[in-house]
Amino acid sequence: MDNIYEKIALAVLEGKKEDTLNSVRQGLEAGLDPLAMITAGLSAGLEQVGDKFECGEYYLPDMMLAAEAMSSAIDLLEPYLETGKTGKSVQAGRVVIGTVKGDLHSIGKDIVIMMMKAAGMEIFDLGVDVSPERFIAAVEDNRADVLGISALMTTTISEQKKVIDLLSEKGLRDRVKVIVGGAPLSEEWAQKIGADAYAADAIAGVRKIKTMLGLT
Ligand code: B12
C-alpha cells in the first residue's frame, strides 16, 4: 500500500497528470483513504517539487505541470471525501475564504475548502489574488462567522495583516473569527497580526474553526 502513495508522489513530482490520476484510481480501488492519498501522496510530491524549484533544478513550467496533476487528482477525489466523511450535511458555520492579493496559489486553500464542506460548513470562496476590500465586503455581504485567509509566499503574507487591520478599521473585527494558513506561516505570525487562529493543515483548520464556534 505504501507503494501507491509513493507512485502518486512520483507522478506529481514528474508532472505526469495521467499517471497521477491512474495511481489515485488504483488507490481508490484498493480502498485507500482519499485524505491519506492527498497528504502522503499528492502533497508529498508537490513538496518535493517546491524543493527542486528552490534549488534551481526545476523551473516554473515544471511546477505548473505538477500543480495541474495535483489539481486534477483533487477533483477526482473530492466526491469521495465529501460523502465519506459526514454523510448528511449539517450547517456548521459560514466561512469566507480566499488567497491574498498578489498570490495565485490555490491548491492548499481548495483542500481546506473541501474539508470544510465535508464538515458541513457553508463556504464562500473568493478565489485567489483577493484584495483586503473584497475580503471585507464578502464578510459583510455573507454574514460570515469565519474568515479564512491563505498566503503561500513570504512576499505576500503581510497582506493577511492588511485584511485584519481593515476589518478592525471597519468595526467588524469582533463579528468574525479569523483563521490564517499557508506554508510560510507560524503560530507566532498569526498572533502577531491579530488572527484568532492558525492551522498548519486542512484537518487542523476544521478542528480549530469548530472550537472557535463552540461546535465541539
Ligand atoms: C504549486 C506551486 C505553484 C503553482 C500554483 C498553482 C495553484 N493553482 O495553486 C504555480 C506554478 C502557479 C506557482 C507559481 C509561483 N510560485 Co509557487 N509553489 C508551488 C508549490 C510547489 C506547492 C504549493 C502547494 O500547492 N502546496 C500543496 C498544498 C496542499 O499545501 P499548502 O498550500 O501549504 O496548503 C496547506 C496548508 O498550508 C494549509 N493552508 C493553506 N492555506 C490555508 C488557509 C487556511 C484558512 C487554513 C486554515 C489552512 C491553509 O492547509 C493546506 C492543506 O493542508 C510551492 C512549494 C511549497 N512547498 O509550498 C511553491 C512556492 C510557494 N512558490 C514559490 C514561487 C516563488 C512562485 C512564483 C513566484 C514563481 C515564479 N517565478 O513565477 C509564482 C508566483 C505566482 C503568484 N503570484 O502567486 C515559492 C515561494 C517562495 C516565497 N517567497 O515564499 C515556493 C515556496 C517554491 C519555493 N520553494 O521556492 N507556484
Side-chain angles (χ1 to χ4, degrees):
M1 288 299 167
D2 284 353
N3 205 10
I4 298 186
Y5 297 127
E6 278 168 25
K7 267 173 74 175
I8 296 171
L10 184 65
V12 171
L13 180 61
E14 293 178 343
K16 292 182 176 161
K17 183 165 134 183
E18 281 314 313
D19 287 5
T20 307
L21 290 172
N22 285 335
S23 300
V24 166
R25 282 188 200 108
Q26 220 180 315
L28 285 171
E29 274 162 29
L32 295 188
D33 176 15
L35 189 59
M37 282 196 267
I38 293 178
T39 52
L42 298 167
S43 295
L46 208 50
E47 187 70 26
Q48 293 175 52
V49 172
D51 294 344
K52 285 190 186 289
F53 178 79
E54 201 169 351
C55 69
E57 203 181 317
Y58 267 24
Y59 297 98
L60 189 58
D62 303 304
M63 201 150 72
M64 288 170 78
L65 283 175
E68 170 65 21
M70 169 131 184
S71 297
S72 314
I74 300 248
D75 288 346
L76 175 67
L77 285 171
E78 179 162 15
Y80 295 89
L81 272 174
E82 285 194 27
T83 50
K85 287 279 159 186
T86 49
K88 210 162 144 211
S89 167
V90 182
Q91 265 339 303
R94 298 162 69 81
V95 185
V96 164
I97 186 168
T99 302
V100 295
K101 191 171 160 189
D103 198 325
L104 303 177
H105 294 87
S106 61
I107 296 173
K109 167 186 71 64
D110 291 342
I111 294 178
V112 172
I113 288 176
M114 246 163 47
M115 299 309 296
M116 287 174 174
K117 281 186 183 164
M121 295 172 193
E122 193 176 349
I123 308 299
F124 302 90
D125 179 13
L126 306 182
V128 297
D129 194 20
V130 182
S131 67
E133 292 74 18
R134 273 191 63 213
F135 273 114
I136 274 56
V139 165
E140 274 197 293
D141 293 349
N142 300 299
R143 290 170 289 109
D145 304 305
V146 178
L147 171 61
I149 319 174
S150 182
L152 256 288
M153 298 192 287
T154 49
T155 46
T156 57
I157 57 174
S158 56
E159 285 291 323
Q160 292 179 323
K161 181 171 183 316
K162 289 190 191 164
V163 179
I164 296 174
D165 288 350
L166 191 58
L167 263 182
S168 304
E169 243 175 69
K170 300 275 180 194
L172 294 168
R173 184 63 190 90
D174 294 338
R175 277 211 240 152
V176 66
K177 298 286 183 195
V178 179
I179 183 164
V180 291
L185 270 62
S186 64
E187 200 75 61
E188 291 70 39
W189 171 255
Q191 276 177 22
K192 193 174 152 194
I193 63 172
D196 297 298
Y198 155 74
D201 59 48
I203 304 275
V206 168
R207 207 175 42 234
K208 292 205 174 173
I209 289 177
K210 283 187 171 170
T211 308
M212 285 194 294
L213 298 180
L215 297 167
T216 45

